[in-house]
Amino acid sequence: MISDFHLHTSFSWDSDTEPERQIEQAIQLGMETLCITDHLDMDFPGGEFQLDTPAYVERILQLREKYRGRIDLRLGVELGMQRHLGERIAAYAQAYPFDYVIGSMHLLKGQDPYDREIFAGCRDGEVYREYFEATLENLRVCRGIQSLGHLDYVVRYGKNQGKEYSYGAFADIIDEILKLLVERQIALEINTGGLKYGLGYPNPHPDVLRRYRELGGELVIVGSDAHVPQYVGYRFGEAEELLKASGFAYRAEFCQKKPVWIKIK
């Protein structure tokens, strides 16, 4: 089974799941590799999504040894990107022995789309465009990441979700994001959380994935965004079929921040 490279544990503010439960679930599913990527959003309004990084790193490295021979456990982190955090993110990513760093957009104008307040008084499409423009700005300044997480995360929480969203409607700005990923050899994450949230497709939209391939993109990595065990590896069979249909022969995993190429069966 495809290895899960995006999931959370009780080290994240929004999960109560002990790391061992996620690991045991991955083993049950037949995964050979697993990467835990708990949240750190520096300067998050209200102070949520902070991470006790020394304790986190120590625990995951201990569990790596505990489960050696049963599963290859990798150390990851999901960092919330903001324009003013470029230097801090780069320094943080280098300060710890991470195998894999996800750069994600959780805030627009200081608000998390998850709370839906940012959509008040606006058309969904207006917020989506601002979100993609901010994503491009943040990617330009945030170094040290290996992938862009859930590119169209914002669509999960729109008042009408996908009714005002398509690749074509935002092709100008999405293309700029994808070109930058290709230029900097940053992976595009296929996040099956979009299926869980009722979009009918992973994040990003399949048309975005196909366009990434057309632009020369090769680095793709799969994650569930699971916060509880039952969502580890969520609908990864569909993700694999989507990758094949989009022209990908390989997917990536990361070890010591270097891509490991895995042939798609």
Side-chain angles (χ1 to χ4, degrees):
M1 186 180 188
I2 289 177
S3 298
D4 199 333
F5 266 66
H6 187 154
L7 72 159
H8 301 286
T9 77
S10 53
F11 280 97
S12 286
W13 179 81
D14 56 354
S15 175
D16 295 321
T17 304
E18 288 299 311
E20 289 91 337
R21 293 182 61 207
Q22 301 288 55
I23 296 166
E24 292 287 351
Q25 179 70 4
I27 292 170
Q28 253 190 352
L29 291 170
M31 293 183 186
E32 296 180 357
T33 309
L34 184 72
C35 189
I36 294 175
T37 56
D38 276 310
H39 281 293
L40 172 60
D41 276 60
M42 303 171 186
D43 294 351
F44 195 90
E48 298 91 345
F49 297 107
Q50 301 310 296
L51 179 64
D52 183 347
T53 307
Y56 170 63
V57 170
E58 181 180 11
R59 180 82 173 277
I60 300 305
L61 294 183
Q62 287 173 347
L63 291 172
R64 175 183 290 175
E65 293 306 313
K66 176 180 176 179
Y67 285 95
R68 188 175 296 278
R70 298 180 65 196
I71 195 167
D72 182 357
L73 184 62
R74 308 271 171 86
L75 172 65
V77 67
E78 182 181 11
L79 299 181
M81 297 189 298
Q82 297 186 62
R83 187 173 181 178
H84 70 282
L85 295 176
E87 291 184 5
R88 285 170 62 187
I89 283 175
Y92 176 87
Q94 289 299 319
Y96 297 96
F98 295 117
D99 289 294
Y100 175 55
V101 179
I102 304 171
S104 293
M105 275 282 297
H106 294 132
L107 292 174
L108 178 63
K109 297 179 179 177
Q111 297 182 70
D112 190 337
Y114 177 88
D115 297 323
R116 293 183 166 87
E117 294 177 10
I118 199 165
F119 293 97
C122 300
R123 292 177 53 247
D124 285 353
E126 295 171 349
V127 178
Y128 297 166
R129 177 163 289 278
E130 286 187 86
Y131 180 90
F132 293 133
E133 289 172 348
T135 299
L136 180 60
E137 290 179 5
N138 288 331
L139 274 176
R140 284 174 171 157
V141 299
C142 293
R143 303 281 183 157
I145 64 172
Q146 278 72 63
S147 81
L148 173 63
H150 45 54
L151 189 156
D152 43 21
Y153 164 87
V154 67
V155 182
R156 295 180 185 177
Y157 308 109
K159 294 189 292 286
N160 299 295
Q161 288 193 319
K163 289 185 179 178
E164 293 184 37
Y165 173 60
S166 66
Y167 160 71
F170 303 96
D172 55 336
I173 187 67
I174 289 176
D175 275 4
E176 291 304 306
I177 293 170
L178 298 179
K179 289 174 185 176
L180 188 58
L181 295 182
V182 173
E183 176 188 331
R184 294 194 178 169
Q185 287 294 287
I186 298 171
L188 177 64
E189 181 195 53
I190 312 307
N191 186 304
T192 60
L195 294 165
K196 180 177 68 175
Y197 285 94
L199 292 179
Y201 49 83
N203 302 109
H205 190 285
D207 290 344
V208 175
L209 180 62
R210 286 188 280 269
R211 181 57 174 158
Y212 173 70
R213 185 72 192 96
E214 289 173 358
L215 291 169
E218 296 179 324
L219 276 170
V220 285
I221 191 163
V222 182
S224 66
D225 216 342
H227 292 68
V228 291
Q230 58 262 43
Y231 286 113
V232 173
Y234 184 67
R235 295 172 70 171
F236 273 17
E238 294 172 50
E240 185 173 40
E241 291 304 313
L242 177 58
L243 286 172
K244 288 191 286 189
S246 301
F248 294 91
Y250 294 85
R251 61 180 176 83
E253 296 178 358
F254 281 84
C255 183
Q256 297 180 1
K257 299 179 181 173
K258 302 294 183 184
V260 178
W261 297 95
I262 310 294
K263 188 170 179 59
I264 298 173
K265 297 179 181 178

